[in-house]
Amino acid sequence: GAVVSQHPSWVICKSGTSVKIECRSLDFQATTMFWYRQFPKQSLMLMATSNEGSKATYEQGVEKDKFLINHASLTLSTLTVTSAHPEDSSFYICSAPGRNDEQYFGPGTRLTVT
Amino acid sequence: QQPVQSPQAVILREGEDAVINCSSSKALYSVHWYRQKHGEAPVFLMILLKGGEQKGHEKISASFNEKKQQSSLYLTASQLSYSGTYFCGTEETGAQKLVFGQGTRLTINP
């Protein structure tokens, strides 16, 4: 199956700083990628759809100025959490669709804001 | 709109069967099933696109009802490796995105 990587796997940052998370499709191209956030023992909540060459589409309630998404190439999307606060601590997962619409998920990035 | 999964949790002995249901109030374009183990990303199991469709692989199968509003995942003769949280992801026609249910935690004991 297709492989999606994320970097870093985990990150600890201080409140008020920014953190960038990378999502890469390793053996296929992805014009669209999705960013999810998952709190402990909860479901995956879609934050935004990342579109190569155009602006991301954000879900209702997600601040686009706080969660900056850039889809610079057909294999890379980045999520930057700006001015991070402790309530932003979560598991961030990206995914990219395969040939048959199945979603291939990255391994996730655990963000802890102190 | 988030689909509703049931049950929320299941505890089985190895070798027993389980059924997990996923329901939507709207007709869907597709239903996806994923399994997630603690601290890991979800892993794709299968996708259903057609009303009345049934598909499976080894001892895990799924169905999609004719109205395309309800799907069930069947785990037969469960193995210890089946433990994890199962999520259905639903896609409404034209939405081009998945909305996940709240998950069903499956525990398999020896």
Side-chain angles (χ1 to χ4, degrees):
Chain A
V3 178
V4 175
S5 71
Q6 273 185 248
H7 179 80
S9 299
W10 58 270
V11 56
I12 302 172
C13 71
K14 292 191 175 182
S15 190
T17 61
S18 295
V19 173
K20 180 186 282 189
I21 302 170
E22 294 185 348
C23 176
R24 293 181 185 273
S25 56
L26 296 185
D27 51 359
F28 67 106
Q29 294 182 334
T31 56
T32 301
M33 290 184 177
F34 300 93
W35 286 97
Y36 296 86
R37 181 167 52 183
Q38 186 177 36
F39 292 106
K41 296 186 178 182
Q42 293 189 23
S43 185
L44 297 98
M45 299 305 295
L46 180 65
M47 298 176 66
T49 302
S50 174
N51 303 299
E52 190 269 337
S54 64
K55 292 182 179 180
T57 305
Y58 289 83
E59 294 300 301
Q60 195 171 11
V62 178
E63 300 175 58
K64 61 180 181 181
D65 294 330
K66 180 172 178 62
F67 298 99
L68 301 179
I69 291 173
N70 186 297
H71 200 137
S73 73
L74 289 171
T75 58
L76 174 64
S77 175
T78 60
L79 168 68
T80 301
V81 183
T82 63
S83 187
H85 289 282
E87 56 264 32
D88 298 325
S89 298
S90 188
F91 193 48
Y92 291 85
I93 313 176
C94 68
S95 74
R99 287 184 182 178
N100 300 310
D101 287 338
E102 72 274 33
Q103 292 292 326
Y104 292 102
F105 284 88
T109 297
R110 188 161 302 281
L111 170 64
T112 303
V113 184
T114 60
Chain B
Q1 191 170 11
Q2 188 178 32
V4 177
Q5 280 185 239
S6 63
Q8 291 187 350
V10 183
I11 300 175
L12 299 176
R13 286 189 180 273
E14 197 173 4
E16 293 182 334
D17 302 339
V19 180
I20 300 170
N21 299 304
C22 176
S23 296
S24 172
S25 59
K26 297 184 178 181
L28 302 167
Y29 174 73
S30 68
V31 173
H32 302 220
W33 285 97
Y34 295 83
R35 177 172 60 214
Q36 184 180 31
K37 293 190 180 281
H38 181 68
E40 300 179 8
V43 173
F44 173 75
L45 295 176
M46 64 188 77
I47 179 174
L48 298 113
L49 291 164
K50 300 176 184 176
E53 183 176 14
Q54 297 184 52
K55 63 167 52 173
H57 179 65
E58 296 184 346
K59 295 178 181 178
I60 299 176
S61 62
S63 65
F64 198 9
N65 76 342
E66 290 289 345
K67 289 186 176 181
K68 300 182 72 176
Q69 289 183 257
Q70 197 269 338
S71 176
S72 296
L73 184 72
Y74 306 93
L75 303 163
T76 305
S78 58
Q79 305 169 14
L80 294 175
S81 61
Y82 288 1
S83 291
T85 300
Y86 289 79
F87 292 98
C88 68
T90 57
E91 181 181 0
E92 296 180 12
T93 302
Q96 295 183 318
K97 63 182 181 182
L98 288 181
V99 179
F100 286 88
Q102 76 273 32
T104 296
R105 177 170 288 194
L106 177 64
T107 303
I108 311 292
N109 293 319

